[in-house]
Amino acid sequence: MRALVYDTAFRARASHKQAWGFGLIAAASGIWLWLACQVLLPYSVEHGRNDRECASRVFYESTRESYAEAEGTSCAMERDWADLLAVLLFSLPLAVVGTVLYTSGATDNRLSRHVAEVNRLTQFPGSS
């Protein structure tokens, strides 16, 4: 009976670990989607009394000029690469820890089921 209680608690901890891992992976994925929108989609910037339309950081028209020269410094300052890179670097530990937790929890669950099945087959050798 104590083995069943321990196995149930072990599986609950493994499921909890797996859920935390999934949550961290989802958070990192959300950050990556937000960054993709920041880099790929056009945007507007308040420039004095007018709104100025800015092309995306990736798909701006000119190939010979830098983004700041082609779109203007107000557009370049609004979506600076350094800020976007800092957010990306913040998301990497979330993704790594989430992957480790999810994998560890899934492995613990699978091993618990495997041991339970081996014990069941050992108790009743005639049934397979």
Side-chain angles (χ1 to χ4, degrees):
M1 189 63 167
R2 285 177 32 173
L4 180 62
V5 171
Y6 176 78
D7 187 53
T8 303
F10 182 81
R11 286 186 189 190
R13 283 191 309 271
S15 295
H16 186 71
K17 203 185 320 184
Q18 196 172 5
W20 267 102
F22 182 78
L24 290 175
I25 291 170
S29 298
I31 291 171
W32 294 340
L33 285 172
W34 179 79
L35 283 172
C37 290
Q38 295 292 309
V39 172
L40 298 174
L41 298 177
Y43 57 98
S44 63
V45 175
E46 282 188 28
H47 189 69
R49 294 181 182 212
N50 303 344
D51 283 348
R52 178 177 174 156
E53 294 297 320
C54 302
S56 71
R57 294 288 296 191
V58 176
F59 301 118
Y60 68 95
E61 295 295 325
S62 179
T63 57
R64 296 179 190 254
E65 298 175 309
S66 70
Y67 182 79
E69 292 169 348
E71 294 295 320
T73 55
S74 60
C75 289
M77 288 174 50
E78 180 70 22
R79 300 229 173 130
D80 187 27
W81 283 114
D83 296 338
L84 299 174
L85 183 61
V87 174
L88 176 67
L89 289 176
F90 171 73
S91 73
L92 292 179
L94 292 177
V96 170
V97 171
T99 302
V100 168
L101 284 174
Y102 185 84
T103 304
S104 174
T107 302
D108 289 349
N109 266 331
R110 184 67 186 130
L111 284 175
S112 178
R113 288 189 182 105
H114 172 74
V115 169
E117 185 65 19
V118 167
N119 285 338
R120 187 187 70 78
L121 292 173
T122 304
Q123 284 178 347
F124 306 109
S127 64
S128 0

